[in-house]
Amino acid sequence: MPRHTIFWPVLCLVLWTFLVLVQVPIRRFHAAFKGRVVAADFRCGESEYVPADVALPNRVFMNLVEVPTLFYVVCLILYVTGTVTPACVALAWLYFALRIAHSLIYLTYNHVVHRFAVFATSNLVVLAMLTCLAVRLSD
């Protein structure tokens, strides 16, 4: 398996992150045009005057640039050290799928328990990838 295949789920997650980011101004401008928010509501980020449905995409975006950073680092180290395996690539795709699921739960029906279960599982996948990396490096 070519080691560069580890970058396909990385690139897909980056693309998904940008797609979520696009929702931030769309929802803000839509709310502004309807008179639900004014520019001052965003002076220091999102104030308490910003409705939840308008603030939500920004929170989802922030989630996509927090823990996924660790995923990106692990994938890069796997590539640089030549320790990419089919299992690592499968875990990377699983992580991508879980992050999509987390975002969709957050942006749609937003059930906290479901969202947390997917979030926690995705973090365990990154931990599994880190474990695979450590095992491969110790060989």
Side-chain angles (χ1 to χ4, degrees):
M1 163 179 283
R3 67 182 178 173
H4 69 271
T5 57
I6 194 69
F7 290 127
W8 286 113
V10 168
L11 292 172
C12 289
L13 187 56
V14 169
L15 177 61
W16 177 253
T17 302
F18 276 104
L19 290 173
V20 170
L21 177 59
V22 167
Q23 290 300 309
V24 175
I26 288 172
R27 293 218 188 167
R28 286 180 179 182
F29 283 118
H30 188 262
F33 291 142
K34 294 209 176 239
R36 297 175 61 209
V37 295
V38 295
D41 293 335
F42 300 98
R43 182 168 296 144
C44 296
E46 290 174 336
S47 70
E48 67 272 11
Y49 303 112
V50 177
D53 65 303
V54 177
L56 210 50
N58 189 55
R59 184 65 202 134
V60 175
F61 173 74
M62 291 183 338
N63 269 246
L64 287 168
V65 295
E66 292 169 344
V67 177
T69 304
L70 300 174
F71 166 73
Y72 297 139
V73 168
V74 171
C75 289
L76 186 60
I77 294 171
L78 285 163
Y79 175 81
V80 169
T81 59
T83 54
V84 175
T85 65
C88 294
V89 174
L91 286 169
W93 280 115
L94 176 59
Y95 183 76
F96 167 69
L98 288 166
R99 292 310 308 199
I100 294 283
H102 177 264
S103 298
L104 291 175
I105 291 168
Y106 219 152
L107 289 168
T108 57
Y109 70 100
N110 201 10
H111 190 282
V112 175
V113 174
H114 296 166
R115 197 178 80 218
F116 174 75
V118 173
F119 178 77
T121 303
S122 72
N123 291 336
L124 291 174
V125 170
V126 171
L127 189 57
M129 291 178 70
L130 187 60
T131 302
C132 286
L133 172 62
V135 167
R136 296 280 293 157
L137 287 176
S138 66
D139 285 345

